[in-house]
Amino acid sequence: MRTRGELPGAPATRVAIATLPPLDRGKQVMEALADYVERAALKSGDRLPTERELMAALSVGRSTIREAMGRFEALGVTETRKGSGTYLLKPISAGTIHLPLSLDAAELRDGLLHTLEVRRGIEAEASMVAARRRTVDDLRTIEEKLIEMERVHLATGTSGPEDLAFHLAVYDATHNPLFRQLLGQMREAFERFWDHPFDRQDFARRSFPYHRELFDAIVARDADLARGKTLKILEIVEEDIEEMSK
């Protein structure tokens, strides 16, 4: 009797073909919207269809639409205006909205190191720029994210999502949307980076105090010190990847 996943006529000892993963509906919605924007020749400032219109046209639920629109906002492509709708900030097309990024989850160590190489360059530069350009409002936001990160870390010993929120706030303080857009395009890789760190709760724990020192450097407008603290954080992360993957 043939088992599920085996091809017709395949020998009994043949390895079964793995089942296909579920489709990423959020990604499909993004691609459909990018195609629509391109075909409709929409320009910056044009209003996008409403949630209800998108749900009907694409036959998906409200949560899927919101997930896709959230990704677009993270990329700096759209802006939601309360009581008015969602507006296009820049022209896009299906061929330009994504930075190709593929990490093999089966090779976690290599995937993490690949991600770290990219993060090191972007984050170090972003920290320096943030130290030079940050405003009082930026400092307030960064500190709020830092306090929440510290609270969660002290309570649970780890704070992946809160750590990401802190770094996103630093990126925003650069006032260069490309930093946020690039990180947004790498979001899935960064989330994978924190979701499965070798099943170790202490992964990168030694980097925790340097986040407060990074914030202090940004407050002091010390770009070189901010860069140094960022590189120290990432140095610890790299050391833990190397050690915990043995």
Side-chain angles (χ1 to χ4, degrees), residues 101-123:
L101 190 70
S102 176
L103 299 179
D104 186 352
E107 296 292 339
L108 180 60
R109 175 185 176 277
D110 290 343
L112 293 178
L113 290 174
H114 290 162
T115 303
L116 187 62
E117 285 179 352
V118 177
R119 182 181 172 186
R120 180 182 287 113
I122 296 174
E123 191 121 8

Side-chain angles (χ1 to χ4, degrees), residues 21-56:
L23 293 175
D24 185 338
R25 300 291 283 172
K27 182 178 179 181
Q28 288 182 312
V29 170
M30 290 181 70
E31 291 171 348
L33 275 171
D35 179 66
Y36 166 75
V37 167
E38 184 177 21
R39 289 186 296 105
L42 297 185
K43 299 180 290 296
S44 298
D46 286 343
R47 187 174 180 275
L48 294 178
T50 65
E51 273 189 3
R52 190 179 298 277
E53 290 170 335
L54 292 172
M55 289 166 59

